Amino acid sequence: MKKRFLAALIVSLGMLVACDDSSSASSDNDKELSSSSTEKSGNSEDKSSSSTEKSSDSKDASSSSKKEDNGEYKREFATAIASGETMFIGTMSLDHTGDLGKDYIEVGTRAGVVYYDNSLFIADLDVGTIARYSLDANNKIGSKTAELSLAGAWANHIYFVNEEKAYLGGMLDSLLIINPKTMKRTGAIDLSKYKGDDALVVSPGTGVIVDGRLYVGLLQNVSDYATGNTAQVAIIDVKNDSLIAVAEDDRVAAVGSLDDSQNQAFIVADGYIYCYSNASWGYAPGQVDGFLRIKVGETEFDKDYQWLVTKEVAIDGITKKDNFKYLSPTTYANGTKVYSFLNVMVDLQQVWTDMDSYHNNTCKPVEIDLAKKTMKALPIDYSSSWASYGKYLDEDGTVIFAVSTEKDGNAYFRYDPKTEKAEKIADVKQIPMWLVPLK
């Protein structure tokens, strides 16, 4: 049953499927992804040209150009790209997007990636392994240093307490305690008594540690596609690994996701933990989607706050109230504002029919104010749902979106909230996915 559930969930998320010519890597790109290509960066011609200019620094400039051609430049993000039904995870720089697809770790049809302690933790969900990879001085992926095997289990939610202690959640009836240095199990917190009557598994998914407590959503998967009808958050004391309470609320369906390796369906802002329910991506008719919140330090949901996205959000020219829609995981908060993609299939008169549906351009970049319960569309074209997880809030307040659009192809955009303008900053051959900062 678990294998069938995992396969079906992969189909329902639709993140890794064969791509059409307008939005994916070609067969030539497939070859590039599966080889350790030594081709020069797409920017190498400009750098070579500039290095021939006559100046006192010309020798140094030429030397720097050669180093960057050899991949010796600082990488800023971990990311994922795909070719056909295979995913590749690596590190990248927005100044060298021509190098995407080189020196990447090949995994199966679905994977998660997390950065911590100068290492990447890559979960290959097809085979049920989570491996730790070292990074060099330029954040290029090095060797595998440790690995944990969980055959048959979808588990890619890691909540780090310190360098030698972390919790691991996923399609499990417990919350595992691991040593992230060795990737060895050191204990577990049994959650099986909280499994719903119809649930296949408790599934601790999205979570966040705040003030010595882990808040983690219990998804209660009841079928191949659907999660539970009730929001549940287990609250754990990370000092003594004890369960403090389980907060429950039936105003929305299960909060969090098994697909959210960056744990961004829980947002810490303004002294609250905002918890988001995507209502099983629309596969469970009657479920309610939206945000609830828990005040940091408390053990119950705030009874005075709810924001039901489908029922309450209308954006001119984008979506109507009561048309089902859902958000991808958000960026971290800037005040109470976050950034995401709003999937508006129904408004565009589209539905999930097969795996190719996930290449349809139905996801609109949006800015969200969680406290004010407002949402606005941004001046970036609709992206495919496959490329709706890549977004990053920079230190200067601007936001980077990774997109796969009909108008602009596969690209990275930077949006400036001050000017309310967006600018394409890089093109890329492959469909870009996550943007995980390496810091």
Side-chain angles (χ1 to χ4, degrees), residues 249 251 272 292-293 301-307 373:
D249 200 303
R251 286 177 290 174
Y272 289 92
L292 300 180
R293 71 184 185 184
F301 286 97
D302 180 356
K303 298 300 182 183
D304 296 324
Y305 179 92
Q306 67 178 32
W307 188 22
K373 296 190 280 191

Side-chain angles (χ1 to χ4, degrees), residues 41-215:
S41 156
N43 294 329
S44 62
E45 184 175 342
D46 293 339
K47 289 169 183 165
S48 175
S49 173
S50 64
S51 68
T52 60
E53 294 177 3
K54 292 183 179 180
S55 72
S56 59
D57 297 327
S58 62
K59 185 179 294 185
D60 291 339
S62 177
S63 174
S64 174
S65 177
K66 290 178 181 179
K67 283 184 178 181
E68 293 199 349
D69 286 348
N70 291 328
E72 295 184 25
Y73 53 84
K74 192 78 169 180
R75 288 148 172 83
E76 308 153 307
F77 301 99
T79 189
I81 54 179
S83 175
E85 295 185 5
T86 301
M87 178 180 277
F88 298 82
I89 292 178
T91 56
M92 53 89 74
S93 166
L94 289 171
D95 293 327
H96 298 271
T97 55
D99 280 349
L100 271 173
K102 302 174 184 177
D103 303 311
Y104 272 37
I105 302 297
E106 180 178 345
V107 291
T109 57
R110 189 67 189 154
V113 58
V114 182
Y115 172 78
Y116 183 77
D117 190 24
N118 200 43
S119 297
L120 285 187
F121 296 80
I122 297 176
D124 188 332
L125 301 174
D126 283 355
V127 296
T129 61
I130 304 176
R132 177 173 179 154
Y133 288 85
S134 62
L135 299 179
D136 70 10
N138 288 318
N139 285 334
K140 191 173 182 179
I141 293 183
S143 61
K144 182 192 299 185
T145 60
E147 185 174 79
L148 172 64
S149 178
L150 294 167
W154 175 302
N156 68 338
H157 292 266
I158 307 177
Y159 329 102
F160 296 95
V161 178
N162 54 49
E163 294 180 357
E164 296 188 351
K165 180 180 176 181
Y167 297 100
L168 175 63
M171 199 174 70
L172 305 162
D173 281 328
S174 61
L175 195 62
L176 300 185
I177 306 170
I178 65 172
N179 183 326
K181 281 190 174 181
T182 64
M183 295 305 292
K184 301 291 186 183
R185 300 190 210 187
T186 60
I189 300 173
D190 185 7
L191 297 169
S192 59
K193 71 177 182 180
Y194 296 98
K195 183 161 60 177
D197 293 340
D198 298 325
L200 300 174
V201 63
V202 174
S203 299
T206 302
V208 62
I209 295 177
V210 186
D211 290 349
R213 292 181 173 186
L214 168 64
Y215 300 77

Side-chain angles (χ1 to χ4, degrees), residues 20-24 348 350 359-363 380-384 387 403-411 413 424 427:
D20 58 29
D21 291 339
S22 65
S23 64
S24 71
L348 298 174
Q350 297 180 25
H359 297 295
N360 296 342
N361 304 116
T362 59
C363 298
I380 303 173
D381 202 16
Y382 290 90
S383 179
S384 73
V403 299
S404 178
T405 70
E406 183 176 355
K407 177 182 176 182
D408 296 292
N410 302 324
F413 276 77
K424 183 195 286 191
D427 289 296

